[in-house]
C-alpha cells in the first residue's frame, strides 16, 4: 500500500494514512511517498517494518552517515537541521502548550563525547533499529567524530592478533562486550574503556591504544547487557577532563556527563541566567555539572545526589575548581527545608519528580525553581502539579541530541504572590 507522509509524530516517525490506519514509518519526511508492505504493533502504534520511499520529499537532505537508515542511533539525519529544530519546537508546543525557542547545537556532527559500541559476533557497532539482538557493523560514527575510526581500527587489530571471543548476544556468551569511547571536546583528551565478561585480558591490550590519555578494563559480572562494569584495571590517566567555559570536570568511565559538550556550554549558561539570590540547592546534582559551574560564579551551592560515586566526583570537581560547593548523598524525597534556599535546581531522571518532593516544594514554597528536563511529557505533568503555587516565568529548549527526536528544556518557575 502506498501513501504520503503527512507529518512526524512526537518520536520522529513519519505518519501515513493507509486504509483508515495510521502507520508510523521510520526515517521518512513529510511529503515522502512511501510503500508500506508490513508493520508491527507497539502498544497502540503501528510501526512499519518493511517499507520503501518511492518518491522522496523535496525537504530531504543527504545524510552524512553511511549507516543511517539501519543504525538505531540517529533518526533524523535526512532532515535539514532547520527542519529538525522546527520539529522540536512544534513538539514542545504540542506537549507543553506554550512556545519554546530551541537553541541549536553549535555542532551537529562530531558533537557527541561518548559512544558505547557493541563488540559482537555479528558486528562491531550499534544496534540495528528496532532490535536488541542485531548489530550494524561500523567503521566510524560521524556524530562522535574521526577519533572513533581510529579507536575501532585499533580494536579490530587487537581482535585479529589475539582472537578473544566476542559477544554472542542471544546466548549471553563471549569475553569482549563493549568499547566505550569518551572524548573531551574542549580538551582533546581521549578515554577508551573495554567492557568484558570475566576472563583474562591479554597484557598487550593497552599498547593498541597508546594514543589515548586513559585506558580502562571494566568487567561486567552480571547477566545484564550493559556497557559498564567494575573497574579491573586502568593505564595512564585515571580521568580525562572536559571544560565548560572556565570550569574543568573530571570524567571517569562510571560517571555521567552531558553527551554534547558544545551544547552543554549553552545549557549551563542558560541555567546560570535563571538563578536568583545567593544560596542554591542543586538536586539530582550528578557530578556537579550545574553546581560547580554556579559556584564558580559566586553562588553558595549545596548538592544532593543518590549515587555515592557521582557525589564523590562532584566533590572532586568542586575541589579541582576551588569553589564553595558541597555535595552529599541523599534522595530527592528526603530533602529538608527548601525555603532556606533562594533557588532550587531540579534535573530529575526521565520519570520526573518524586511525588513526595512535589508535596515538599508546595509546603516549603522556595521562591525560585529552575527545572531542567530531558522528558517534556513528565515536565508537563510536574508543571501541572506545581501550578497551584508556581507560574512559568521563562523557558528555553536546547538541542542536545541533533538527528534524534530528543530535546532538553529549561524552565524557570516563580512562587506566586
Amino acid at each position: 500500500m502506498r501513501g504520503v507522509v503527512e507529518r512526524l509524530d512526537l518520536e520522529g516517525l513519519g505518519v501515513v494514512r493507509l486504509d483508515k490506519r495510521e502507520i508510523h514509518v521510520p526515517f521518512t519526511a513529510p511529503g515522502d511517498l512511501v510503500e508500506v508492505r508490513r508493520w508491527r504493533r507497539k502498544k497502540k502504534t503501528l510501526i512499519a517494518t518493511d517499507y520503501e520511499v518511492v518518491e522522496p520529499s523535496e525537504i530531504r537532505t543527504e545524510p552524512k552517515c553511511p549507516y543511517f537508515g539501519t543504525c538505531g542511533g540517529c533518526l533524523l539525519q535526512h532532515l535539514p537541521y532547520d527542519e529538525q529544530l522546527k520539529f522540536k519546537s512544534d513538539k514542545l508546543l504540542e506537549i507543553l502548550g506554550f512556545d519554546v525557542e530551541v537553541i541549536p547545537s553549535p555542532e551537529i556532527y562530531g558533537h557527541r563525547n561518548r559512544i558505547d559500541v557493541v563488540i559482537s559476533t555479528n558486528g562491531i557497532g550499534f544496534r540495528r533499529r528496532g532490535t536488541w539482538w542485531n548489530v550494524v557493523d561500523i567503521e566510524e560514527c560521524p556524530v562522535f567524530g574521526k577519533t572513533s575510526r581510529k579507536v575501532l581500527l585499533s580494536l579490530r587489530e587487537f581482535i585479529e592478533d589475539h582472537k578473544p571471543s566476542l559477544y554472542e548476544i542471544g546466548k549471553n556468551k563471549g569475553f569482549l562486550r563493549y568499547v566505550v569511547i569518551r572524548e573531551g571536546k574542549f580538551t582533546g583528551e581521549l578515554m577508551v574503556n573495554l567492557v568484558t565478561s570475566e576472563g583474562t585480558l591479554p597484557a598487550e591490550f593497552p599498547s593498541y591504544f597508546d594514543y589515548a590519555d586513559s585506558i580502562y578494563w571494566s568487567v561486567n559480572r552480571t547477566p545484564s547487557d550493559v556497557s559498564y562494569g567494575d573497574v579491573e584495571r586502568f593505564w595512564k590517566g585515571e580521568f580525562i577532563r572536559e571544560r565548560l567555559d572556565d570550569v574543568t570536570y573530571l570524567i571517569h568511565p562510571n560517571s555521567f556527563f552531558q553527551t554534547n559538550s558544545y551544547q552543554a556550554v549553552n545549557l549551563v549558561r542558560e541555567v546560570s541566567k535563571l538563578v536568583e539570590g545567593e544560596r542554591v540547592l542543586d538536586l539530582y546534582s550528578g557530578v556537579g555539572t550545574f553546581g560547580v559551574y554556579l559556584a564558580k560564579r559566586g553562588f553558595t551551592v549545596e548538592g544532593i545526589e543518590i549515587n555515592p560515586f557521582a557525589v564523590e566526583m562532584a566533590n572532586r570537581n568542586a575541589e579541582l575548581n576551588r569553589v564553595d560547593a558541597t555535595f552529599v548523598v541523599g534522595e530527592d524525597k528526603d530533602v529538608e527545608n527548601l525555603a532556606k534556599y533562594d533557588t532550587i535546581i531540579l534535573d530529575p531522571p526521565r520519570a520526573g519528580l518524586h511525588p513526595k518532593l512535589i508535596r515538599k516544594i508546595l509546603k516549603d514554597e522556595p521562591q525560585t525553581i529552575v527545572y531542567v528536563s530531558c522528558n517534556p511529557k513528565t515536565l508537563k505533568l510536574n508543571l501541572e502539579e506545581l501550578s497551584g503555587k508556581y507560574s512559568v516565568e521563562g523557558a528555553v529548549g536546547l538541542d542536545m541530541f541533533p538527528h534524534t527526536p530528543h530535546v532538553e528544556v529549561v524552565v524557570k518557575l516563580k512562587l506566586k504572590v
Side-chain angles (χ1 to χ4, degrees):
M1 293 187 288
R2 293 187 176 188
V4 176
V5 174
E6 300 173 359
R7 68 183 195 283
L8 298 183
D9 66 14
L10 295 178
E11 302 307 317
L13 304 183
V15 179
V16 59
R17 294 182 183 274
L18 300 172
D19 284 351
K20 299 182 181 179
R21 297 186 182 96
E22 275 197 352
I23 311 292
H24 299 246
V25 189
F27 307 115
T28 56
D32 280 346
L33 175 63
V34 297
E35 181 171 329
V36 179
R37 305 181 190 93
R38 197 173 291 118
W39 56 84
R40 63 182 174 89
R41 181 177 296 275
K42 184 178 180 182
K43 296 182 179 178
K44 295 182 179 180
T45 304
L46 301 178
I47 300 177
T49 56
D50 185 5
Y51 57 90
E52 178 185 355
V53 177
V54 179
E55 291 181 15
S57 167
E58 292 182 355
I59 70 169
R60 277 179 168 267
T61 190
E62 191 66 27
K64 189 171 181 178
C65 178
Y67 313 106
F68 178 75
T70 54
C71 171
C74 294
L75 189 61
L76 303 177
Q77 277 193 30
H78 62 297
L79 293 182
Y81 192 51
D82 58 347
E83 290 290 334
Q84 294 185 35
L85 294 173
K86 181 179 183 302
F87 159 72
K88 295 183 183 193
S89 296
D90 292 346
K91 173 177 177 171
L92 293 178
L93 175 61
E94 182 174 342
I95 294 173
L96 299 177
F98 52 85
D99 286 317
V100 180
E101 176 195 0
V102 176
I103 298 174
S105 176
E107 303 287 342
I108 63 170
Y109 287 100
H111 56 279
R112 278 193 70 95
N113 57 35
R114 170 178 177 153
I115 51 173
D116 299 34
V117 180
V118 188
I119 308 171
S120 78
T121 51
N122 61 358
I124 297 174
F126 301 117
R127 295 297 202 284
R128 188 174 298 272
R129 177 169 176 81
T131 75
W132 56 266
W133 62 89
N134 204 346
V135 173
V136 177
D137 194 60
I138 70 167
E139 294 182 0
E140 178 183 334
C141 176
V143 299
F144 183 88
K146 295 294 183 184
T147 314
S148 60
R149 176 181 289 272
K150 187 174 184 178
V151 173
L152 294 180
L153 181 61
S154 298
L155 175 67
R156 287 185 166 97
E157 289 175 354
F158 167 73
I159 292 171
E160 177 67 25
D161 291 347
H162 295 276
K163 306 292 190 298
S165 62
L166 309 184
Y167 191 18
E168 295 180 63
I169 297 175
K171 299 178 180 178
N172 198 26
K173 294 181 179 179
F175 179 59
L176 301 190
R177 298 297 175 97
Y178 286 88
V179 62
V180 181
I181 313 171
R182 304 184 76 162
E183 184 176 52
K185 296 299 180 179
F186 292 107
T187 64
E189 295 182 9
L190 176 67
M191 174 181 285
V192 175
N193 178 26
L194 182 72
V195 182
T196 72
S197 61
E198 293 189 82
T200 302
L201 183 68
E204 296 84 357
F205 169 73
S207 65
Y208 288 80
F209 305 92
D210 56 2
Y211 49 84
D213 300 280
S214 176
I215 306 165
Y216 269 82
W217 173 27
S218 299
V219 177
N220 174 15
R221 294 182 168 86
T222 75
S224 302
D225 178 9
V226 293
S227 56
Y228 56 87
D230 303 322
V231 173
E232 192 74 9
R233 188 176 175 188
F234 70 90
W235 297 264
K236 303 176 78 171
E238 184 178 3
F239 309 102
I240 61 169
R241 297 168 301 159
E242 183 58 294
R243 288 186 66 82
L244 303 182
D245 286 334
D246 56 351
V247 179
T248 300
Y249 299 90
L250 298 174
I251 308 295
H252 182 274
N254 292 337
S255 64
F256 171 80
F257 195 75
Q258 292 286 347
T259 55
N260 180 343
S261 297
Y262 303 111
Q263 188 70 316
V265 173
N266 288 327
L267 178 61
V268 293
R269 287 175 182 172
E270 290 298 321
V271 168
S272 66
K273 288 178 190 175
L274 301 179
V275 172
E276 295 186 7
E278 296 179 359
R279 296 194 67 185
V280 176
L281 176 64
D282 184 8
L283 267 177
Y284 314 94
S285 54
V287 298
T289 307
F290 297 119
V292 175
Y293 188 89
L294 291 169
K296 192 80 169 180
R297 273 134 195 84
F299 295 97
T300 301
V301 177
E302 295 176 37
I304 297 177
E305 164 65 44
I306 194 172
N307 184 324
F309 183 70
V311 171
E312 178 187 333
M313 292 296 296
N315 284 314
R316 280 179 182 252
N317 286 328
E319 181 180 355
L320 176 66
N321 290 278
R322 299 178 181 176
V323 296
D324 183 10
T326 305
F327 301 90
V328 298
V329 178
E331 292 192 53
D332 54 359
K333 60 186 178 65
D334 296 331
V335 293
E336 297 181 359
N337 181 19
L338 297 175
K340 67 180 183 179
Y341 301 100
D342 300 309
T343 298
I344 311 294
I345 296 176
L346 305 173
D347 184 15
R350 292 187 62 80
L353 304 178
H354 193 284
K356 285 181 70 173
L357 176 59
I358 291 174
R359 291 195 292 270
K360 182 71 172 171
I361 291 171
L362 294 174
K363 175 178 175 290
D364 291 354
E365 298 184 340
Q367 289 290 316
T368 304
I369 297 171
V370 179
Y371 191 140
V372 182
S373 172
C374 60
N375 186 347
K377 291 181 180 178
T378 54
L379 171 64
K380 170 69 171 177
L381 295 174
N382 290 160
L383 292 180
E384 290 174 349
E385 291 167 315
L386 295 169
S387 63
K389 290 192 175 182
Y390 288 87
S391 56
V392 174
E393 192 171 273
V396 64
L398 295 101
D399 185 18
M400 304 295 295
F401 312 101
H403 316 302
T404 80
H406 305 298
V407 60
E408 200 97 354
V409 191
V410 181
V411 177
K412 182 176 183 178
L413 299 172
K414 290 292 290 182
L415 185 66
K416 293 178 180 178
V417 178

